[in-house]
Amino acid sequence: MYLSFEDLILCILKALILTFIIFGLGLLVGFDYHLGVVYCNLMNIPKDLALSMVSPGMAINIGILLFVFEMIGLHFIVKLFKKFNMFNNFCEFLSLDY
């Protein structure tokens, strides 16, 4: 059984949208790390300041914390958008279970 042209276009569109979402999350991690580096330079804190051998450096730690807070905020935004029919249709189009 072969895919129709419309199904092929929808598969490509879904793949592109999900790729852009993952790429955007990667850019967000990079932005958070650079923000951590700026904060460390501003406060004269060494970027590799670590409390123990297994903890990440100060700049990476700030990036991780910012990313976690942003994901919590994104969760609440998605929770608010679930009330709108257009958002639910978009999630069904991407086959995501929110």
Side-chain angles (χ1 to χ4, degrees):
M1 183 175 185
Y2 296 103
L3 291 175
S4 68
F5 182 72
E6 181 181 339
D7 291 336
L8 184 65
I9 295 298
L10 287 176
C11 288
I12 292 172
L13 185 64
K14 285 182 186 182
L16 283 175
I17 290 172
L18 293 174
T19 302
F20 285 139
I21 289 172
I22 292 171
F23 182 70
L25 290 175
L27 287 176
L28 187 62
V29 169
F31 174 76
D32 290 343
Y33 172 72
H34 289 297
L35 193 62
V37 169
V38 168
Y39 176 76
C40 288
N41 289 336
L42 185 65
M43 297 293 170
N44 292 326
I45 300 171
K47 291 183 279 300
D48 59 348
L49 177 68
L51 298 176
S52 69
M53 295 297 287
V54 294
S55 65
M58 185 70 179
I60 296 171
N61 197 12
I62 291 171
I64 291 169
L65 285 174
L66 285 174
F67 186 74
V68 167
F69 290 144
E70 289 161 353
M71 290 301 105
I72 291 170
L74 182 65
H75 169 73
F76 285 119
I77 289 172
V78 167
K79 195 174 180 182
L80 288 174
F81 279 162
K82 279 177 65 174
K83 298 176 185 175
F84 300 113
N85 194 19
M86 181 187 291
F87 182 76
N88 290 331
N89 290 340
F90 181 71
C91 289
E92 288 176 11
F93 171 73
L94 292 178
S95 300
L96 299 175
D97 296 323
Y98 281 110

Coordinates of all heavy atoms in Angstrom, one line a residue:
M1 N 0.8 -1.2 0.0 CA 0.0 0.0 0.0 C 0.9 1.2 0.0 O 1.8 1.4 0.8 CB -0.9 0.0 1.2 CG -1.8 1.1 1.3 SD -2.9 0.8 2.8 CE -4.0 2.0 2.6
Y2 N 0.6 2.2 -0.9 CA 1.4 3.3 -1.0 C 0.7 4.5 -0.4 O -0.5 4.6 -0.3 CB 1.7 3.6 -2.5 CG 2.5 2.5 -3.2 CD1 2.0 1.6 -4.0 CD2 3.9 2.4 -2.9 CE1 2.7 0.6 -4.6 CE2 4.7 1.4 -3.5 CZ 4.1 0.5 -4.3 OH 4.8 -0.5 -4.9
L3 N 1.5 5.5 -0.1 CA 1.0 6.8 0.5 C 0.5 7.6 -0.7 O 1.1 7.7 -1.7 CB 2.0 7.5 1.3 CG 2.4 6.9 2.6 CD1 3.6 7.7 3.2 CD2 1.3 6.8 3.6
S4 N -0.6 8.3 -0.5 CA -1.0 9.3 -1.5 C -0.2 10.5 -1.3 O 0.6 10.7 -0.4 CB -2.5 9.7 -1.2 OG -2.7 10.4 0.0
F5 N -0.3 11.4 -2.3 CA 0.5 12.7 -2.3 C 0.2 13.5 -1.1 O 1.1 14.1 -0.4 CB 0.3 13.4 -3.6 CG 1.1 14.7 -3.7 CD1 2.5 14.6 -3.9 CD2 0.5 15.9 -3.5 CE1 3.3 15.7 -4.0 CE2 1.3 17.1 -3.6 CZ 2.7 17.0 -3.8
E6 N -1.1 13.6 -0.7 CA -1.5 14.4 0.5 C -0.9 13.8 1.7 O -0.4 14.5 2.6 CB -3.0 14.4 0.5 CG -3.6 15.2 1.7 CD -5.1 15.2 1.7 OE1 -5.7 14.9 0.7 OE2 -5.6 15.5 2.8
D7 N -0.9 12.5 1.9 CA -0.3 11.8 3.1 C 1.2 12.1 3.1 O 1.7 12.3 4.2 CB -0.6 10.3 3.1 CG -2.1 10.0 3.3 OD1 -2.8 10.9 3.9 OD2 -2.5 8.9 2.9
L8 N 1.8 12.0 2.0 CA 3.3 12.3 2.0 C 3.6 13.7 2.4 O 4.5 13.9 3.2 CB 3.8 12.0 0.6 CG 5.3 12.1 0.4 CD1 6.0 11.1 1.2 CD2 5.6 12.0 -1.1
I9 N 2.8 14.7 1.9 CA 3.0 16.1 2.3 C 2.7 16.3 3.8 O 3.5 17.0 4.5 CB 2.1 17.0 1.4 CG1 2.5 17.0 0.0 CG2 2.1 18.4 2.0 CD1 3.9 17.4 -0.3
L10 N 1.7 15.6 4.3 CA 1.4 15.7 5.8 C 2.5 15.1 6.6 O 2.9 15.7 7.6 CB 0.1 15.1 6.1 CG -1.2 15.8 5.6 CD1 -2.4 15.0 5.9 CD2 -1.3 17.2 6.3
C11 N 3.1 14.0 6.2 CA 4.2 13.4 6.9 C 5.4 14.3 6.9 O 6.1 14.5 8.0 CB 4.6 12.1 6.3 SG 3.4 10.8 6.6
I12 N 5.7 14.9 5.8 CA 6.9 15.8 5.7 C 6.6 17.1 6.5 O 7.5 17.5 7.3 CB 7.1 16.2 4.2 CG1 7.7 15.0 3.5 CG2 8.1 17.4 4.1 CD1 7.8 15.2 2.0
L13 N 5.4 17.6 6.5 CA 5.0 18.8 7.3 C 5.1 18.5 8.8 O 5.7 19.3 9.6 CB 3.6 19.3 7.0 CG 3.1 20.5 7.6 CD1 4.0 21.7 7.2 CD2 1.7 20.8 7.3
K14 N 4.7 17.3 9.2 CA 4.8 17.0 10.7 C 6.2 16.8 11.1 O 6.6 17.3 12.1 CB 4.0 15.6 10.9 CG 2.6 15.7 10.9 CD 2.0 14.4 11.3 CE 0.5 14.3 11.2 NZ -0.1 13.0 11.5
A15 N 7.0 16.2 10.2 CA 8.4 16.0 10.5 C 9.1 17.4 10.6 O 10.0 17.6 11.5 CB 9.1 15.1 9.5
L16 N 8.8 18.3 9.7 CA 9.5 19.6 9.8 C 9.1 20.4 11.0 O 9.9 21.0 11.7 CB 9.1 20.4 8.5 CG 9.8 20.0 7.2 CD1 9.3 20.8 6.1 CD2 11.3 20.3 7.4
I17 N 7.8 20.3 11.4 CA 7.3 21.0 12.6 C 8.0 20.5 13.8 O 8.5 21.2 14.7 CB 5.8 21.0 12.7 CG1 5.1 21.8 11.6 CG2 5.3 21.5 14.1 CD1 3.6 21.7 11.5
L18 N 8.0 19.2 14.0 CA 8.7 18.6 15.1 C 10.2 18.8 15.1 O 10.8 19.0 16.2 CB 8.4 17.1 15.2 CG 6.9 16.8 15.5 CD1 6.6 15.3 15.4 CD2 6.5 17.3 16.8
T19 N 10.8 18.8 14.0 CA 12.2 19.2 13.9 C 12.5 20.6 14.3 O 13.5 20.8 15.1 CB 12.8 18.9 12.5 OG1 12.5 17.6 12.1 CG2 14.2 19.2 12.4
F20 N 11.6 21.5 13.9 CA 11.8 22.9 14.3 C 11.6 23.1 15.8 O 12.3 23.9 16.5 CB 10.9 23.8 13.6 CG 11.3 24.1 12.2 CD1 10.4 24.1 11.1 CD2 12.6 24.3 11.8 CE1 10.8 24.4 9.8 CE2 13.0 24.5 10.5 CZ 12.1 24.6 9.5
I21 N 10.7 22.3 16.4 CA 10.5 22.3 17.9 C 11.7 21.9 18.6 O 12.2 22.5 19.5 CB 9.2 21.5 18.3 CG1 8.0 22.2 17.8 CG2 9.2 21.3 19.8 CD1 6.7 21.4 18.0
I22 N 12.3 20.8 18.2 CA 13.5 20.2 18.8 C 14.7 21.2 18.6 O 15.5 21.4 19.5 CB 13.8 18.8 18.2 CG1 12.8 17.8 18.7 CG2 15.2 18.4 18.7 CD1 12.8 16.5 18.1
F23 N 14.8 21.8 17.4 CA 15.9 22.7 17.1 C 15.7 24.0 18.0 O 16.7 24.5 18.5 CB 15.8 23.1 15.6 CG 16.9 24.1 15.2 CD1 18.2 23.7 15.2 CD2 16.6 25.4 14.9 CE1 19.2 24.6 14.8 CE2 17.6 26.3 14.5 CZ 18.9 25.9 14.4
G24 N 14.4 24.4 18.2 CA 14.2 25.6 19.1 C 14.6 25.3 20.5 O 15.1 26.2 21.2
L25 N 14.3 24.1 21.0 CA 14.7 23.7 22.3 C 16.2 23.7 22.5 O 16.8 24.1 23.5 CB 14.1 22.3 22.7 CG 12.6 22.3 22.9 CD1 12.2 20.9 23.2 CD2 12.2 23.2 24.1
G26 N 16.9 23.3 21.4 CA 18.4 23.3 21.4 C 18.9 24.7 21.5 O 19.9 25.0 22.2
L27 N 18.3 25.6 20.7 CA 18.7 27.0 20.7 C 18.4 27.6 22.1 O 19.2 28.5 22.6 CB 17.9 27.8 19.7 CG 18.4 27.6 18.2 CD1 17.5 28.4 17.3 CD2 19.8 28.0 18.1
L28 N 17.3 27.2 22.7 CA 17.0 27.7 24.1 C 18.0 27.3 25.1 O 18.4 28.1 25.9 CB 15.6 27.2 24.5 CG 15.0 27.7 25.8 CD1 14.8 29.2 25.7 CD2 13.7 27.0 26.1
V29 N 18.5 26.0 25.0 CA 19.6 25.6 25.9 C 20.9 26.4 25.7 O 21.5 26.8 26.6 CB 19.8 24.1 25.7 CG1 21.1 23.6 26.4 CG2 18.7 23.3 26.2
G30 N 21.2 26.6 24.4 CA 22.4 27.5 24.1 C 22.2 28.9 24.6 O 23.2 29.4 25.2
F31 N 21.1 29.5 24.5 CA 20.8 30.8 25.0 C 20.9 30.8 26.5 O 21.5 31.8 27.1 CB 19.4 31.3 24.5 CG 19.0 32.6 25.2 CD1 19.6 33.8 24.7 CD2 18.1 32.7 26.2 CE1 19.2 35.0 25.3 CE2 17.8 33.9 26.8 CZ 18.3 35.0 26.3
D32 N 20.4 29.8 27.2 CA 20.5 29.8 28.6 C 21.9 29.6 29.1 O 22.3 30.3 30.1 CB 19.6 28.6 29.2 CG 18.1 28.9 29.0 OD1 17.7 30.0 28.8 OD2 17.4 27.9 29.1
Y33 N 22.7 28.8 28.4 CA 24.1 28.7 28.8 C 24.8 30.0 28.6 O 25.6 30.4 29.5 CB 24.8 27.6 27.9 CG 26.3 27.6 28.2 CD1 26.8 27.1 29.4 CD2 27.2 28.0 27.2 CE1 28.1 27.0 29.6 CE2 28.5 28.0 27.4 CZ 29.0 27.5 28.6 OH 30.4 27.5 28.8
H34 N 24.6 30.7 27.5 CA 25.3 32.0 27.3 C 24.8 33.0 28.3 O 25.6 33.9 28.7 CB 25.1 32.5 25.8 CG 25.8 31.7 24.8 ND1 27.2 31.6 24.8 CD2 25.4 30.9 23.8 CE1 27.6 30.8 23.9 NE2 26.5 30.3 23.2
L35 N 23.6 33.0 28.7 CA 23.1 33.9 29.7 C 23.8 33.5 31.1 O 24.1 34.5 31.8 CB 21.6 33.7 29.9 CG 20.8 34.8 30.7 CD1 21.0 36.1 30.1 CD2 19.4 34.4 30.8
G36 N 24.0 32.3 31.3 CA 24.8 31.9 32.5 C 26.2 32.4 32.5 O 26.8 32.8 33.5
V37 N 26.8 32.3 31.3 CA 28.2 32.8 31.2 C 28.2 34.3 31.4 O 29.1 34.9 32.1 CB 28.8 32.5 29.8 CG1 30.1 33.2 29.5 CG2 29.0 31.0 29.6
V38 N 27.3 35.1 30.9 CA 27.2 36.5 31.1 C 27.0 36.8 32.6 O 27.7 37.7 33.1 CB 26.0 37.1 30.2 CG1 25.8 38.6 30.6 CG2 26.4 37.1 28.8
Y39 N 26.2 36.1 33.2 CA 25.9 36.3 34.7 C 27.2 36.0 35.5 O 27.6 36.8 36.4 CB 24.8 35.4 35.2 CG 24.6 35.4 36.6 CD1 23.9 36.5 37.2 CD2 25.0 34.4 37.5 CE1 23.7 36.6 38.6 CE2 24.8 34.5 38.9 CZ 24.2 35.6 39.4 OH 24.0 35.7 40.7
C40 N 27.9 34.9 35.1 CA 29.2 34.6 35.8 C 30.2 35.7 35.6 O 31.0 36.1 36.5 CB 29.7 33.3 35.3 SG 28.8 31.9 36.0
N41 N 30.3 36.2 34.3 CA 31.3 37.3 34.1 C 30.9 38.6 34.8 O 31.8 39.3 35.2 CB 31.4 37.5 32.6 CG 32.1 36.4 31.8 OD1 32.8 35.7 32.4 ND2 31.8 36.2 30.6
L42 N 29.6 38.8 34.9 CA 29.1 40.1 35.5 C 29.4 40.0 37.0 O 29.8 41.0 37.6 CB 27.6 40.2 35.3 CG 27.0 41.5 35.8 CD1 27.5 42.7 35.0 CD2 25.5 41.4 35.6
M43 N 29.3 38.9 37.7 CA 29.5 38.7 39.1 C 30.9 38.2 39.5 O 31.1 38.0 40.6 CB 28.4 37.7 39.7 CG 27.0 38.2 39.5 SD 26.8 39.6 40.6 CE 25.2 40.1 40.0
N44 N 31.7 38.1 38.5 CA 33.1 37.6 38.7 C 33.2 36.3 39.4 O 34.0 36.0 40.2 CB 34.0 38.6 39.5 CG 34.2 39.9 38.7 OD1 34.3 39.9 37.5 ND2 34.2 41.0 39.4
I45 N 32.3 35.4 38.9 CA 32.2 34.0 39.4 C 32.9 33.1 38.4 O 32.6 33.3 37.2 CB 30.8 33.5 39.6 CG1 30.1 34.4 40.7 CG2 30.7 32.1 40.1 CD1 28.6 34.1 40.8
P46 N 33.8 32.2 38.7 CA 34.4 31.3 37.7 C 33.3 30.5 37.1 O 32.5 29.9 37.8 CB 35.4 30.5 38.5 CG 35.5 31.2 39.8 CD 34.4 32.0 40.1
K47 N 33.4 30.3 35.8 CA 32.3 29.5 35.1 C 32.4 28.1 35.5 O 31.4 27.4 35.4 CB 32.5 29.7 33.6 CG 32.2 31.1 33.1 CD 32.3 31.1 31.6 CE 33.7 31.3 31.1 NZ 34.4 32.5 31.5
D48 N 33.6 27.6 35.9 CA 33.7 26.2 36.2 C 33.6 25.9 37.7 O 34.0 24.9 38.2 CB 35.0 25.6 35.7 CG 36.2 26.3 36.2 OD1 36.0 27.4 36.8 OD2 37.3 25.8 36.0
L49 N 33.1 26.9 38.5 CA 32.9 26.7 39.9 C 32.0 25.6 40.2 O 30.9 25.6 39.8 CB 32.4 28.0 40.6 CG 32.1 28.0 42.1 CD1 33.4 27.8 42.8 CD2 31.3 29.2 42.5
A50 N 32.5 24.6 40.9 CA 31.7 23.4 41.2 C 31.8 23.1 42.7 O 32.9 23.2 43.3 CB 32.1 22.2 40.4
L51 N 30.7 22.7 43.3 CA 30.8 22.3 44.7 C 31.4 21.0 45.0 O 31.9 20.7 46.1 CB 29.4 22.4 45.3 CG 28.7 23.8 45.2 CD1 27.3 23.8 45.7 CD2 29.5 24.8 46.0
S52 N 31.3 20.1 44.0 CA 31.8 18.7 44.2 C 32.3 18.3 42.8 O 32.2 19.0 41.9 CB 30.8 17.8 44.8 OG 29.8 17.5 43.8
M53 N 32.8 17.1 42.8 CA 33.4 16.5 41.6 C 32.3 16.2 40.5 O 32.6 16.2 39.4 CB 34.2 15.3 41.8 CG 35.4 15.5 42.7 SD 36.6 16.6 41.9 CE 37.2 15.5 40.6
V54 N 31.1 16.0 41.0 CA 30.1 15.5 40.0 C 29.1 16.7 39.7 O 28.3 16.5 38.8 CB 29.3 14.3 40.6 CG1 30.1 13.1 40.7 CG2 28.6 14.7 41.9
S55 N 29.1 17.8 40.3 CA 28.2 18.9 40.0 C 28.7 19.6 38.8 O 29.9 19.8 38.6 CB 28.0 19.8 41.2 OG 29.2 20.5 41.5
P56 N 27.8 20.2 38.0 CA 28.2 20.9 36.8 C 28.8 22.3 37.2 O 28.6 22.7 38.3 CB 27.0 21.1 36.0 CG 25.9 21.0 36.9 CD 26.4 20.0 38.0
G57 N 29.5 23.0 36.3 CA 30.0 24.3 36.6 C 28.8 25.3 36.8 O 27.7 25.0 36.5
M58 N 29.2 26.4 37.2 CA 28.2 27.5 37.6 C 27.4 27.9 36.4 O 26.2 28.0 36.4 CB 28.9 28.7 38.2 CG 28.0 29.7 38.7 SD 27.2 29.1 40.2 CE 26.2 30.6 40.6
A59 N 28.1 28.2 35.2 CA 27.3 28.6 34.0 C 26.4 27.5 33.5 O 25.2 27.8 33.1 CB 28.3 29.0 33.0
I60 N 26.8 26.3 33.5 CA 26.0 25.2 33.1 C 24.8 25.0 34.0 O 23.7 24.7 33.6 CB 26.8 23.9 32.9 CG1 27.9 24.1 31.8 CG2 25.9 22.7 32.5 CD1 28.9 22.9 31.7
N61 N 25.1 25.1 35.3 CA 24.1 25.0 36.3 C 23.0 26.1 36.1 O 21.8 25.8 36.3 CB 24.7 25.1 37.7 CG 23.8 24.6 38.8 OD1 22.8 23.9 38.5 ND2 24.2 24.8 40.0
I62 N 23.4 27.3 35.9 CA 22.4 28.3 35.6 C 21.6 28.0 34.4 O 20.3 28.2 34.3 CB 23.1 29.7 35.5 CG1 23.7 30.2 36.8 CG2 22.1 30.8 34.9 CD1 24.5 31.4 36.7
G63 N 22.2 27.5 33.3 CA 21.5 27.1 32.1 C 20.5 26.0 32.4 O 19.4 26.0 31.8
I64 N 20.9 25.0 33.2 CA 20.0 23.9 33.5 C 18.8 24.4 34.3 O 17.6 24.1 34.0 CB 20.7 22.8 34.3 CG1 21.7 22.1 33.4 CG2 19.7 21.8 34.8 CD1 22.7 21.2 34.1
L65 N 19.0 25.3 35.3 CA 17.9 25.8 36.1 C 17.0 26.7 35.2 O 15.7 26.5 35.3 CB 18.5 26.7 37.2 CG 19.0 25.9 38.4 CD1 19.7 26.8 39.4 CD2 18.0 25.0 39.0
L66 N 17.5 27.5 34.3 CA 16.6 28.3 33.5 C 15.8 27.4 32.5 O 14.6 27.7 32.3 CB 17.5 29.3 32.7 CG 18.0 30.5 33.4 CD1 18.9 31.3 32.5 CD2 16.9 31.4 33.9
F67 N 16.4 26.4 32.0 CA 15.7 25.5 31.1 C 14.6 24.8 31.8 O 13.5 24.7 31.3 CB 16.7 24.5 30.5 CG 16.0 23.6 29.4 CD1 15.7 24.1 28.2 CD2 15.7 22.3 29.7 CE1 15.2 23.4 27.2 CE2 15.1 21.5 28.7 CZ 14.9 22.0 27.5
V68 N 14.8 24.4 33.1 CA 13.8 23.7 33.8 C 12.6 24.7 34.1 O 11.4 24.3 34.0 CB 14.4 23.1 35.2 CG1 13.3 22.7 36.1 CG2 15.3 21.9 34.8
F69 N 13.0 25.9 34.5 CA 11.9 26.9 34.8 C 11.1 27.2 33.5 O 9.9 27.4 33.5 CB 12.5 28.2 35.4 CG 13.0 28.0 36.8 CD1 14.1 28.7 37.2 CD2 12.3 27.2 37.7 CE1 14.6 28.5 38.5 CE2 12.8 27.0 39.0 CZ 13.9 27.7 39.4
E70 N 11.8 27.3 32.4 CA 11.1 27.5 31.1 C 10.2 26.4 30.7 O 9.1 26.6 30.2 CB 12.1 27.8 30.0 CG 12.8 29.2 30.2 CD 14.1 29.3 29.4 OE1 14.5 28.3 28.8 OE2 14.6 30.4 29.4
M71 N 10.6 25.1 31.0 CA 9.8 24.0 30.6 C 8.5 24.0 31.6 O 7.4 23.6 31.1 CB 10.5 22.7 30.8 CG 11.6 22.5 29.7 SD 10.9 22.5 28.0 CE 11.4 24.1 27.4
I72 N 8.7 24.4 32.8 CA 7.5 24.4 33.7 C 6.6 25.5 33.2 O 5.4 25.3 33.2 CB 8.0 24.7 35.2 CG1 8.7 23.5 35.7 CG2 6.8 25.1 36.1 CD1 9.5 23.8 37.0
G73 N 7.1 26.7 32.8 CA 6.3 27.7 32.2 C 5.6 27.2 31.0 O 4.4 27.5 30.7
L74 N 6.3 26.5 30.1 CA 5.7 26.0 28.9 C 4.6 25.0 29.2 O 3.5 25.0 28.5 CB 6.8 25.3 28.0 CG 6.3 24.8 26.7 CD1 5.9 25.9 25.8 CD2 7.4 24.0 26.0
H75 N 4.7 24.2 30.2 CA 3.7 23.3 30.6 C 2.4 24.1 31.0 O 1.3 23.7 30.6 CB 4.2 22.4 31.8 CG 3.1 21.6 32.4 ND1 2.5 20.5 31.8 CD2 2.4 21.8 33.6 CE1 1.6 20.0 32.6 NE2 1.5 20.8 33.7
F76 N 2.6 25.1 31.8 CA 1.4 25.9 32.2 C 0.8 26.6 31.0 O -0.5 26.8 30.9 CB 1.8 26.9 33.3 CG 1.9 26.2 34.6 CD1 3.2 26.3 35.3 CD2 0.9 25.5 35.2 CE1 3.3 25.7 36.5 CE2 1.1 24.9 36.4 CZ 2.3 25.0 37.1
I77 N 1.6 27.1 30.0 CA 1.0 27.7 28.8 C 0.2 26.7 28.0 O -0.9 27.0 27.5 CB 2.2 28.4 28.0 CG1 2.7 29.6 28.7 CG2 1.7 28.8 26.6 CD1 3.9 30.2 28.1
V78 N 0.8 25.5 27.9 CA 0.1 24.5 27.1 C -1.2 24.1 27.8 O -2.3 23.9 27.2 CB 1.0 23.2 26.9 CG1 0.2 22.0 26.4 CG2 2.1 23.5 25.9
K79 N -1.2 24.1 29.1 CA -2.4 23.8 29.9 C -3.4 24.8 29.7 O -4.6 24.5 29.7 CB -2.0 23.7 31.4 CG -3.0 23.0 32.3 CD -2.4 22.9 33.7 CE -3.4 22.2 34.6 NZ -2.8 22.1 36.0
L80 N -3.0 26.1 29.6 CA -4.0 27.2 29.4 C -4.5 27.1 27.9 O -5.7 27.4 27.7 CB -3.3 28.5 29.6 CG -3.1 28.9 31.0 CD1 -2.3 30.2 31.1 CD2 -4.4 29.0 31.8
F81 N -3.7 26.7 27.0 CA -4.1 26.7 25.6 C -5.0 25.5 25.3 O -5.6 25.4 24.2 CB -2.9 26.7 24.6 CG -2.3 28.0 24.4 CD1 -1.0 28.1 23.9 CD2 -3.0 29.2 24.6 CE1 -0.5 29.4 23.6 CE2 -2.5 30.4 24.4 CZ -1.2 30.5 23.9
K82 N -5.0 24.5 26.2 CA -5.9 23.3 25.9 C -7.3 23.7 25.9 O -8.1 22.9 25.3 CB -5.6 22.3 27.0 CG -4.4 21.4 26.8 CD -4.2 20.5 27.9 CE -5.3 19.5 28.0 NZ -5.0 18.4 29.0
K83 N -7.7 24.9 26.4 CA -9.1 25.3 26.3 C -9.5 25.7 24.9 O -10.7 25.8 24.7 CB -9.3 26.5 27.3 CG -9.0 26.2 28.7 CD -9.1 27.4 29.6 CE -8.7 27.1 31.0 NZ -8.7 28.3 31.8
F84 N -8.6 26.0 24.1 CA -8.9 26.5 22.7 C -9.0 25.3 21.7 O -8.1 24.4 21.7 CB -7.8 27.5 22.2 CG -7.8 28.7 23.1 CD1 -6.6 29.0 23.8 CD2 -8.8 29.6 23.2 CE1 -6.5 30.1 24.6 CE2 -8.8 30.7 24.0 CZ -7.6 31.0 24.7
N85 N -10.0 25.3 20.9 CA -10.2 24.2 20.0 C -9.1 24.2 18.9 O -8.7 23.1 18.5 CB -11.6 24.4 19.3 CG -12.0 23.1 18.6 OD1 -11.5 22.1 18.8 ND2 -13.0 23.3 17.7
M86 N -8.6 25.3 18.5 CA -7.6 25.3 17.4 C -6.3 24.7 17.9 O -5.7 23.9 17.2 CB -7.3 26.8 17.0 CG -6.2 26.9 15.9 SD -5.7 28.6 15.6 CE -7.2 29.2 14.8
F87 N -5.9 24.9 19.2 CA -4.7 24.2 19.7 C -4.9 22.7 19.8 O -4.0 21.9 19.5 CB -4.4 24.8 21.1 CG -3.2 24.2 21.8 CD1 -1.9 24.6 21.3 CD2 -3.3 23.3 22.8 CE1 -0.8 24.1 21.9 CE2 -2.1 22.8 23.3 CZ -0.9 23.2 22.9
N88 N -6.1 22.3 20.2 CA -6.4 20.8 20.3 C -6.3 20.2 18.9 O -5.8 19.1 18.7 CB -7.8 20.6 20.9 CG -7.7 20.9 22.4 OD1 -6.7 20.8 23.0 ND2 -8.9 21.3 22.9
N89 N -6.8 20.9 17.9 CA -6.8 20.4 16.5 C -5.3 20.3 16.0 O -4.9 19.3 15.4 CB -7.6 21.3 15.6 CG -9.0 21.2 15.8 OD1 -9.5 20.2 16.4 ND2 -9.8 22.2 15.4
F90 N -4.5 21.3 16.4 CA -3.1 21.3 16.0 C -2.4 20.1 16.7 O -1.6 19.4 16.1 CB -2.4 22.6 16.4 CG -1.0 22.7 16.0 CD1 -0.6 22.8 14.7 CD2 0.0 22.6 17.0 CE1 0.8 22.8 14.4 CE2 1.3 22.7 16.7 CZ 1.7 22.8 15.4
C91 N -2.7 19.8 18.0 CA -2.0 18.7 18.7 C -2.5 17.4 18.1 O -1.7 16.4 18.0 CB -2.4 18.8 20.2 SG -1.5 20.1 21.0
E92 N -3.8 17.3 17.7 CA -4.2 16.1 17.0 C -3.6 15.9 15.7 O -3.3 14.8 15.3 CB -5.7 16.1 16.9 CG -6.5 15.9 18.2 CD -8.0 16.1 18.0 OE1 -8.5 16.1 16.9 OE2 -8.7 16.2 19.0
F93 N -3.3 17.0 15.0 CA -2.6 17.0 13.7 C -1.2 16.4 13.9 O -0.7 15.6 13.1 CB -2.6 18.3 13.1 CG -1.7 18.4 11.8 CD1 -2.1 17.8 10.7 CD2 -0.5 19.1 11.9 CE1 -1.2 17.9 9.5 CE2 0.4 19.2 10.8 CZ 0.0 18.6 9.6
L94 N -0.5 16.8 14.9 CA 0.8 16.3 15.2 C 0.8 15.0 15.9 O 1.9 14.4 16.1 CB 1.6 17.3 16.1 CG 2.0 18.7 15.4 CD1 2.7 19.6 16.4 CD2 2.8 18.4 14.2
S95 N -0.3 14.5 16.3 CA -0.5 13.2 17.0 C 0.2 13.3 18.4 O 0.9 12.4 18.8 CB 0.0 12.1 16.2 OG -0.7 12.0 15.0
L96 N 0.1 14.4 19.1 CA 0.7 14.6 20.4 C -0.5 14.4 21.4 O -1.6 14.9 21.2 CB 1.3 15.9 20.5 CG 2.5 16.2 19.6 CD1 2.9 17.6 19.8 CD2 3.6 15.3 19.9
D97 N -0.2 13.8 22.5 CA -1.2 13.6 23.6 C -0.9 14.6 24.7 O -0.1 14.4 25.6 CB -1.1 12.1 24.1 CG -1.4 11.1 23.1 OD1 -2.3 11.4 22.2 OD2 -0.8 10.1 23.1
Y98 N -1.6 15.7 24.7 CA -1.5 16.7 25.7 C -2.8 16.6 26.5 O -3.8 16.7 26.1 CB -1.3 18.1 25.2 CG 0.1 18.3 24.7 CD1 0.4 18.5 23.4 CD2 1.1 18.4 25.7 CE1 1.7 18.7 23.0 CE2 2.4 18.7 25.3 CZ 2.7 18.8 23.9 OH 4.0 19.0 23.6

